[in-house]
Amino acid sequence: MVHPPSDDPTWWRDAVIYEVYVRSFADGDGDGTGDLAGVRSRLPYLRDLGVDALWFTPWYASPMADGGYDVADYRAIDPAFGTLAEAEALIAEALALGIRTIVDVVPNHVSDRHPWFRAALAAGPGSPERERFWFHPGTGPDGAGIPTHWESSFGGGTWTRTTNPDGTPGEWYLHLFTTQQPDLNWTHPDVWAEHEDVLRFWFDRGVAGIRIDSAALLVKDPALPELPAPGTTPAPGGHPHLDRDELHDVYRAWRKVADSYPGTRVLVGEVWLDDAERFAAYLRPDEMHTAFNFDVMAQPWDAVALRASVDRTLAAHRGVGAPATWVLSNHDVTRPVTRYGRADSSFSFAAKRAGTPTDLDLGTRRARAAALLTAALPGSLYLYQGDELGLPEVEDLPPEAVQDPMHARSGGVDPGRDGCRVPLPWSGDRPPYGFSADPPGGVPAEPWLPQPAGWAPRTVAAQEADPGSMLRLYRDALALRRSEPGLGDGDLRWLDAGPGVLAFARGDVLCVVNLSAGPVALPPHGGVLLASGPTDGAALDPDTAAWLRAA
Ligand code: GLC
């Protein structure tokens, strides 16, 4: 079944967008690392799944100090993934199957191997080349003290000292993430011009959208003040490096670039902010189109908390006329089936709870119900590769295999994010489970992260054959979401279905989710369209969701 992209300029308002973490999706050349050839070979799978667009995590030339979020060249594909010609072919082939492409742009920082940063190091203190970054003398007589005590999102400090061309200790540079990701200076015109040109480069190649990495961090207070004291809240827009008001000018300029192209080219922001109003401000009509809504993911499996989150989200979006997005996970967070199997199933970076027990059967039932809940809510839906297979977080990776810098920078305390980045299982009963194609005349290399034994029932091939699988549930849900006019963009009407139950109407589709401890009676209805677990049509078991035809 081919779903040609409609000319509808509002396609993005209810799109289902699938996140491809290229390294781990499919390996076309058998070297153990996913690549564009692998994605191209699996496009029919994505068409059959029923997604509208693919978001590719960075596929650019990169030393991979942060899985590609350390970009050395935005206009080149990393050789491990393929070539620019392959990316162009992939974009065209996907479009021919009705699937749009969204690329990831990382404007907060570049790789320390990026030509600008190498030139800045070589040119030395006071040079124009250094003005594109945040170089700063250290404190104290010998300059050995860090300029500020800001904390890296990955743990540790945010400044690294340079060595001058003559070998003496030099200035420090700012990096909100790893040492290998120097932050750009967004007061510099070159930084603005370069990014607008990168957007054009990819729009010219037919991409339908840009995912904006760390979108609320770009602008810094040039005075580089210390962080607000713990427990105090800075004035809105007054944090030294988060959610500063000047950011909105950047996205207004980007919106102009996007709007200068035919068809709707969308800007999707990665905006981690607690304040729903400040978040929604990025979605004003002349800024981004949408942003990831992480609020639902941060909630425990609790009807009151989830309903409040949905209401908060919809209200904030309504104020700016933007559709909401629904996100259960991504390449940075613990997989839903593992999370929802824990006593506290909310996600936060501060409490990943690795090592706390999880009941994967319970987690799977809840993740299935959560899939139907989020797919029924108004707006667009993000699906991270492997969640449609119900893959669990791999929490017992051998420490020597872990590559995520979050792990090393925390001194091994933080498990890092590799547990949700394990290569996908496609077929067969042992690693690499069809992840890697056989290279000519040989056997594939080991996957870049080891896959667990016991994933045979979780492969795509096994799940395609099993009507009760997570994959079949997702396929059915996405097909219905496409065919039911009530689903997708629009509004919802809550129904009262009793404590511990979420129930709402979308046109003539009802969605009921039972988060209580016992079975609940379903409201009067005209038939079960889809359910995440067994139901006789009269009652719904705990941790189960159903889509019903309104009576
Ligand atoms: C975003 C990405 C994450 C990356 C970070 C730094 O949060 O999702 O994977 O490590 O930005 O670029």
Side-chain angles (χ1 to χ4, degrees), residues 90-385:
L90 168 51
I91 293 166
E93 288 162 7
L95 208 53
L97 298 181
I99 302 174
R100 291 175 162 91
T101 294
I102 294 175
V103 295
D104 211 321
V105 167
V106 189
N108 182 68
H109 44 265
V110 292
S111 160
D112 62 351
R113 312 298 294 168
H114 188 283
W116 278 10
F117 192 72
R118 299 176 71 148
L121 286 182
S127 61
E129 287 85 349
R130 289 207 171 184
E131 287 169 13
R132 294 170 175 150
F133 298 91
W134 293 101
F135 282 89
H136 206 273
T139 60
D142 54 0
I146 46 174
T148 71
H149 292 82
W150 299 358
E151 280 165 35
S152 161
S153 309
F154 289 170
T158 57
W159 294 93
T160 293
R161 195 163 193 187
T162 60
T163 303
N164 288 323
D166 67 3
T168 55
E171 293 182 319
W172 299 71
Y173 67 89
L174 175 71
H175 50 86
L176 292 184
F177 294 93
T178 68
T179 300
Q180 296 88 349
Q181 291 165 297
D183 278 44
L184 289 165
N185 173 4
W186 274 89
T187 68
H188 197 296
D190 286 1
V191 173
W192 283 63
E194 167 67 2
H195 282 85
E196 289 173 32
D197 196 61
V198 166
L199 297 191
R200 288 195 193 91
F201 182 88
W202 288 103
F203 286 144
D204 286 343
R205 280 163 182 74
V207 309
I210 304 288
R211 180 263 189 190
I212 309 167
D213 187 70
S214 303
L217 294 176
L218 282 46
V219 176
K220 279 83 190 176
D221 182 342
L224 301 177
E226 287 295 355
L227 294 176
T232 59
T233 315
H239 185 282
H241 63 70
L242 176 66
D243 186 32
R244 292 185 61 81
D245 291 334
E246 303 91 320
L247 278 164
H248 296 281
D249 294 334
V250 175
Y251 300 123
R252 286 193 186 103
W254 287 25
R255 180 62 176 258
K256 288 202 181 92
V257 175
D259 285 351
S260 71
Y261 282 82
T264 312
R265 313 294 173 106
V266 302
L267 305 177
V268 182
E270 186 206 19
V271 180
W272 290 90
L273 287 180
D274 292 335
D275 181 325
E277 300 303 325
R278 298 281 309 178
F279 172 91
Y282 289 88
L283 309 179
R284 288 176 288 194
D286 61 345
E287 300 192 36
M288 302 173 189
H289 296 74
T290 62
F292 301 122
N293 157 33
F294 297 121
D295 197 69
V296 161
M297 196 162 83
Q299 305 308 316
W301 186 247
D302 173 83
V304 173
L306 282 168
R307 178 167 169 167
S309 173
V310 169
D311 280 339
R312 195 162 51 236
T313 299
L314 293 178
H317 285 77
R318 212 173 286 128
V320 288
T325 64
W326 306 101
V327 181
L328 286 174
S329 85
N330 62 33
H331 65 286
D332 294 327
V333 315
T334 312
R335 291 266 192 198
V337 303
T338 300
R339 229 167 60 218
Y340 285 130
R342 292 207 163 111
D344 184 346
S345 54
S346 58
F347 176 78
S348 83
F349 281 105
K352 288 188 187 153
R353 302 184 186 88
T356 27
T358 179
D359 172 345
L360 285 184
D361 289 338
L362 174 68
T364 301
R365 283 198 300 280
R366 290 179 171 174
R368 290 171 65 89
L372 291 198
L373 167 66
T374 48
L377 288 169
S380 68
L381 182 71
Y382 283 83
L383 170 55
Y384 173 50
Q385 70 180 36

Side-chain angles (χ1 to χ4, degrees), residues 435-460:
F435 168 70
S436 292
D438 289 339
V443 289
E446 304 260 308
W448 73 278
L449 282 174
Q451 299 161 305
W455 268 15
R458 301 186 192 273
T459 63
V460 170

Side-chain angles (χ1 to χ4, degrees), residues 353-526:
R353 302 184 186 88
T356 27
T358 179
D359 172 345
L360 285 184
D361 289 338
L362 174 68
T364 301
R365 283 198 300 280
R366 290 179 171 174
R368 290 171 65 89
L372 291 198
L373 167 66
T374 48
L377 288 169
S380 68
L381 182 71
Y382 283 83
L383 170 55
Y384 173 50
Q385 70 180 36
D387 283 352
E388 82 279 19
L389 303 176
L391 298 184
E393 185 83 1
V394 180
E395 297 195 298
D396 57 356
L397 286 169
E400 64 279 8
V402 173
Q403 299 198 16
D404 181 16
M406 259 186 152
H407 180 66
R409 284 183 66 92
S410 71
V413 174
D414 188 300
R417 301 162 294 178
D418 284 351
C420 66
R421 300 173 176 180
V422 172
L424 294 193
W426 291 91
S427 59
D429 57 9
R430 70 180 70 91
Y433 298 110
F435 168 70
S436 292
D438 289 339
V443 289
E446 304 260 308
W448 73 278
L449 282 174
Q451 299 161 305
W455 268 15
R458 301 186 192 273
T459 63
V460 170
Q463 297 202 36
E464 276 177 335
D466 172 7
S469 68
M470 186 73 99
L471 178 58
R472 297 279 291 267
L473 178 74
Y474 263 102
R475 278 189 187 167
D476 290 349
L478 299 189
L480 271 170
R481 196 180 185 279
R482 190 185 290 274
S483 64
E484 285 294 330
L487 298 178
D489 197 15
D491 220 331
L492 64 66
R493 184 166 53 84
W494 290 108
L495 308 172
D496 183 13
V501 182
L502 294 174
F504 54 88
R506 309 275 340 264
D508 66 353
V509 177
L510 312 181
C511 175
V512 183
V513 190
N514 181 5
L515 299 97
S516 75
V520 294
L522 285 170
H525 63 86

